[in-house]
Structures are given as C-alpha cells and as structure tokens.
Amino acid sequence: MERRQLLKMAPAVGAGLIAAKPAFAVMAELSNIRQQSVSESFAQAKRLHPELIGFENVNDDFERKKLKVEGQIPKDLQGHYYRNGPAKLERNGIRYQHLFEGDGMLQHFCIAGGKVTHRGRFIHTPKFSQEEQAGRFVYSGPETKIANGKAVVSSNAINTANTNVIPVGNDLWALWEAGSATRINAQTLDYLEQVDLGKGTRYDAKLTGLPFSAHPKVEANGDIWNFGLHPSGSVVLYHLYPDGKVKNVGMIDSRYKGGMLHDFLITQKHILLILPSLKRNLFAKGDGYFSGIEFARHQTMKVLVIDKHDLTITRQYELPPGFVFHFGNAWEDKQGEIQFDMSLYANVDVLYQMSNLMTGDSVRDAARAETVLVTLKKSGEVSTAIGDHGTEFPRVFANEIGQKSEQLFYVSGNSDSLWSHSVNSLHYQTREISHYDYGRDYFVEEHVPIKTKAGGDYLMGTALHVPSKRTCLTVFNADNVAHGPVVKAWLPYHLPIGFHGSFISG
Ligand SMILES: [Fe+2]
C-alpha cells in the first residue's frame, strides 16, 4: 500500500480503537496518531530517498569541532558565519507537519588563522526550554495540533526563532516572523531574551510581541528597517538604530489577507512591500495555518511604495499573479525609477512542499522560482525581464542594500531535484551569469557575499553532501563563481538544512 494511503487511513483505524472515549480525548488521540504516522512515513521515505537526511530531526547540540580544510583559506578572510534553521522537528514520536514549525538551531562557523571550527546549538526559547523539560511538544504549532497542548496565549509563546540570524550591536538576533526577535549571546549562543522593542521608549508595551519579519534590511549607515504582517492586513513598519533601539514605528493598512508576507525591500528613499497572490481559506481541509493559505490565481501582486520618512504609501503598482518568498535588492534613480529583483514562483506549491518534506512525500517534484528583474517607472508602467531559472535565496553585498548593486548571488536547481545544487552570480546590467554546479549529490544552502576589511570579495555557503552524509563550508571568489570553491571545509557529519545567515568580518 502506498504511504500516502497509509497516512489517510491511520486516523480511521485509530478512531475505531478509541470510539468509546469522550470526543475531546478522541480528537487528541487522533491528532497524535496522525503525527506519529508522519514520523513513520518520513522514516520509511528516507530509506528510499537518502537526501531526506537534511530534514531529519536533530537530537542534540553539536559540540565545537575543527573542520578538515581542502584548499587554502584566504588570509584576509577571518570572522564568524552564523546560520539558522529548523532542527527540532520531532519529539516523543511526534513529527511536525510543516518544516517551518521546527525549533531553531544556530550554526556557528569560526574562521581564524586559516582554520575553521563549527558549533551548533539549539536556541533555548521559552517554548524550546519548556518542551525540552517535558520531553514532548507542549504547544500546537501553526500547522501541527498537539493533543492536550497548552494554550497559546501569545505568538511569542510558540516563537521558534528559526529563520534567520543577524548581528545587532554586540549580540545576535535570531528571527522568526510572527513574533519578536530573539536576542542571543554571539560568543556562547546562549538565549538572552525576546526583544521588547517598545520597552523604555514612548511606545512602552504597544510593541510587545508584534510580528517582526525574519528579513530586516540594514542600510549603509547601519539603520535597520523591518516590517511585520498582522493577519488583519495591518503591517507594522520598523525603523531602528544600528544597536536595535527604536527610531520610529508606523502602521499601514495593506488590506492584504494572504496570511504570509516573508520578505521586503528598501531603496534609499522608500520601503517596498510586494504582496503575493495569496488568500487564506478558513474552510480549507485540515486546520493548519499553512495548508489554509491558497494561491489566488486571478489576484495581481501589489507593490506598495512607502516613504521612509513618514511611513505612508506614496505609489502603488500591480504585477501579474505570483508568489515570492525572497527578494535580492532594490534601488532607485534620481527620477524615481525603481528596480528590484525577486525569486518568483508561478504559484504557492513551494509552501506545501515544505509539508511534503516532513512526510517524505513527492520529494522529486520541486517547485522552482525564476529570478525576475522588475522596473517600476514613475509613470506607473511596469516592465519585467527574466534573469535566470530555478533560483532561490538571492543576496547582494551588505554595503549595497537599497543602492544600485552590480551582482546578485543566488542558488539554483532543476525541478527534478529536491533542493538547490548550484550557485550563481548574475550581473544586473549585462545579464551575464557565472554558474557553478556542485552536482546532484549536494544540497546547496544559501550563499552569502562577503567583503572583508582588506577589500576581498568572497561568497560563503554550506552544502550537504548526501552520499557521505557530511556538510561542508565553501568559499568562492565572488568575481568568479564559475571557477568553483577555493576552499571546502568538511565536518565529519551533516547539519540540518537551514535557511538564512550572516557573516561578521573580523
Ligand atoms: Fe527567508
């Protein structure tokens, strides 16, 4: 019998066994049975698809370990590379139903004196600490219902801090998107607090627990910009000083009811909110948050151009229907013409694919995005051009954010590959692409362009080599990606596939 059928049957079999119990107890047990079948289904699928090791549960922290370096680490390349991603995906036989629900784990690569060490540590959020102590999931997640779960009194109660990590002041902020940033000690990776941005300011408790996206943009002067989407369609806009203190906060009514807005852009003068073609179906099958998000194929994507000074909408544009997780960069010329790029999906199937990863279902059928270069003219016209195919995780050099940039860096893959296997740079003006394919044995994660203090331009990333079950840290010369990595530094084991990270030079 197919696994898919088994999954469907499991609740029915369970219902027969527990029919004499009160309704709430039946529901609770059904819920547990469903998630146990997710765990069993994944374990079975992993035997057929060994690449799923990238999405298996991580039991413990990774102690500090020296990596085996192939090649020579450039002398000017010193610093700390931090990455974040979901890693606690199962407890007590229960496996989450969506990858986005896993508790965050920080990976810290320290590069000094030509050597590399790594350490990985779970982020001890209030949720993680309680569940670690209980030895089971205590709270329901956005997708997974936990039997007899504790009431979720605020979004921060289930904040997993699992998506991105950026340096702010002397600390790190581990980022989710539906609640506060999580402050972490950059040396010890200890959890410090959930950042309450209003505390000690004129905003007081008004900002406590508000959504704060995982993709803040840090402009050249160090100021931090971010947004947070409330399910009502209100969007909070944040302007912070480089040390993370509040400079200004605003609110706009976007009228967007898609339930998910993951990334945004800034130029020197404006904030760009690009609202994908999503709608929430409150009557969707199942009761999960992500499975209730649907593609609205007749709904255009809206671009809201917001003035950075007074945080009001100044212009609006429409793009054809589509879905986007990530944007690379945006800038505008003196006449107010804005250019930006996005990794554009034809629909929102990629979101459901993150559920398939949890059961191990449909692992050879990946949804892929195209890099689309967009020009927003002052007249209201929009023009678009395709830059490349099969792309994700676009990044530019940090000092170019919001300003004209030359190169866009991203990973890419074919539709018959579950995860990306190549890394690329695209020259914005000439459209020339420099491409390096790691090969289908690798799962390639986000690669981050780095400028060292001595002026060196590098591209750093991680990749999971499936056959040997090891993760490597790689370094490229940013001006010649096609040449391949100049350094590969190997761990003797593999790390969970993560999302985003930052490099701190020095
Ligand atoms: Fe992201």
Side-chain angles (χ1 to χ4, degrees):
M1 187 179 287
E2 292 288 322
R3 271 181 303 109
R4 196 192 290 261
Q5 286 169 286
L6 262 176
L7 258 177
K8 282 179 187 160
M9 277 187 63
V13 172
L17 295 174
I18 54 180
K21 296 187 177 178
F24 69 88
V26 172
M27 293 308 292
E29 293 194 30
L30 284 179
S31 176
N32 268 353
I33 288 166
R34 188 167 61 192
Q35 283 131 37
Q36 276 160 6
S37 69
V38 171
S39 175
E40 286 158 18
S41 169
F42 179 79
Q44 194 179 334
K46 203 170 64 175
R47 287 193 279 276
L48 293 173
H49 301 288
E51 63 268 36
L52 285 170
I53 58 169
F55 307 97
E56 65 191 9
N57 179 53
V58 176
N59 288 315
D60 298 307
D61 291 344
F62 296 96
E63 297 304 320
R64 190 173 299 286
K65 189 95 187 168
K66 200 171 149 190
L67 278 72
K68 191 178 167 196
V69 178
E70 288 174 7
Q72 195 101 36
I73 295 174
K75 283 201 169 59
D76 62 329
L77 187 58
Q78 309 250 2
H80 302 270
Y81 183 40
Y82 295 96
R83 289 184 43 72
N84 196 355
K88 182 57 73 184
L89 301 169
E90 290 184 35
R91 284 190 190 273
N92 197 27
I94 307 290
R95 181 168 169 87
Y96 278 139
Q97 291 172 19
H98 201 284
L99 183 63
F100 290 175
E101 296 180 291
D103 296 273
M105 181 178 220
L106 289 177
Q107 312 297 345
H108 175 200
F109 295 90
C110 176
I111 299 139
K115 295 186 172 67
V116 186
T117 60
H118 167 268
R119 182 186 180 198
R121 225 185 144 194
F122 278 108
I123 302 170
H124 286 239
T125 59
K127 170 191 181 291
F128 181 89
S129 295
Q130 281 184 62
E131 295 182 339
E132 191 73 354
Q133 200 168 14
R136 62 182 180 87
F137 289 130
V138 170
Y139 293 99
S140 291
E143 193 73 15
T144 306
K145 298 293 164 272
I146 297 300
N148 304 316
K150 211 168 162 182
V152 178
V153 293
S154 71
S155 58
N156 272 345
I158 55 165
N159 187 337
T160 51
N162 67 359
T163 311
N164 195 0
V165 55
I166 61 165
V168 178
N170 293 320
D171 300 324
L172 301 173
W173 282 13
L175 301 161
W176 194 42
E177 68 182 34
S180 306
T182 297
R183 192 190 305 278
I184 305 284
N185 181 306
Q187 280 75 46
T188 62
L189 305 185
D190 282 340
Y191 167 88
L192 298 175
E193 62 174 351
Q194 288 174 331
V195 178
D196 190 348
L197 287 168
K199 198 174 170 185
T201 75
R202 65 184 190 274
Y203 299 102
D204 200 18
K206 290 190 181 75
L207 308 181
T208 307
L210 285 186
F212 187 83
S213 105
H215 286 285
K217 299 288 178 273
V218 182
E219 60 185 342
N221 67 1
D223 279 12
I224 301 166
W225 295 86
N226 202 9
F227 76 95
L229 173 71
H230 189 270
S232 66
S234 294
V235 179
V236 193
L237 300 168
Y238 301 94
H239 182 189
L240 312 180
Y241 290 103
D243 64 0
K245 298 270 187 324
V246 172
K247 207 168 188 175
N248 192 18
V249 175
M251 177 94 81
I252 59 158
D253 179 11
S254 71
R255 299 185 183 177
Y256 171 66
K257 298 286 169 60
M260 194 171 65
L261 184 61
H262 185 68
D263 194 1
F264 80 125
L265 289 162
I266 57 166
T267 68
Q268 282 181 299
K269 291 181 179 167
H270 294 102
I271 294 167
L272 303 185
L273 292 181
I274 297 134
L275 312 174
S277 307
L278 301 181
K279 61 180 178 187
R280 295 258 353 254
N281 181 353
L282 300 173
F283 306 102
K285 254 193 255 174
D287 45 10
Y289 188 85
F290 299 117
S291 52
I293 292 176
E294 292 184 355
F295 188 64
R297 62 194 176 95
H298 298 300
Q299 181 181 309
T300 55
M301 290 205 294
K302 305 263 185 318
V303 182
L304 309 182
V305 181
I306 296 159
D307 189 301
K308 279 162 92 176
H309 292 293
D310 62 13
L311 303 180
T312 59
I313 300 169
T314 59
R315 282 187 271 164
Q316 293 195 41
Y317 294 85
E318 288 192 0
L319 297 170
F323 171 70
V324 179
F325 272 127
H326 299 120
F327 305 95
N329 197 22
W331 64 88
E332 62 189 288
D333 65 16
K334 284 182 182 145
Q335 285 71 45
E337 187 168 286
I338 295 173
Q339 299 199 38
F340 71 90
D341 69 88
M342 56 185 175
S343 273
L344 175 70
Y345 292 89
N347 54 46
V348 77
D349 286 356
V350 62
L351 183 65
Y352 311 140
Q353 194 183 330
M354 304 292 172
S355 279
N356 295 345
L357 287 173
M358 302 307 286
T359 56
D361 218 353
S362 309
V363 297
R364 294 282 186 198
D365 197 15
R368 291 285 171 197
E370 289 179 326
T371 292
V372 176
L373 308 171
V374 183
T375 304
L376 305 175
K377 295 180 183 161
K378 204 68 195 291
S379 63
E381 282 175 77
V382 176
S383 69
T384 60
I386 292 174
D388 201 357
H389 302 275
T391 66
E392 249 303 355
F393 296 109
R395 297 284 300 246
V396 295
F397 284 110
N399 64 315
E400 295 176 342
I401 290 170
Q403 301 179 51
K404 189 171 182 179
S405 47
E406 281 195 358
Q407 280 181 293
L408 178 71
F409 300 90
Y410 51 92
V411 298
S412 65
N414 292 35
S415 58
D416 60 351
S417 172
L418 173 59
W419 208 253
S420 296
H421 49 81
S422 303
V423 63
N424 314 269
S425 71
L426 168 71
H427 195 281
Y428 277 105
Q429 295 307 314
T430 65
R431 307 277 165 88
E432 262 177 65
I433 294 168
S434 184
H435 170 84
Y436 175 76
D437 193 345
Y438 279 76
R440 297 302 181 92
D441 284 342
Y442 284 84
F443 272 19
V444 175
E445 301 180 274
E446 180 187 67
H447 279 48
V448 178
I450 293 164
K451 260 189 203 306
T452 66
K453 284 175 181 164
D457 288 351
Y458 301 102
L459 185 65
M460 183 175 289
T462 45
L464 164 59
H465 183 246
V466 173
S468 67
K469 299 184 179 178
R470 293 181 300 157
T471 294
C472 59
L473 177 81
T474 55
V475 180
F476 293 75
N477 283 318
D479 57 3
N480 191 359
V481 170
H483 178 268
V486 292
V487 177
K488 264 188 186 176
W490 289 95
L491 277 166
Y493 38 72
H494 71 280
L495 302 177
I497 293 291
F499 295 134
H500 304 285
S502 302
F503 183 80
I504 305 171
S505 200

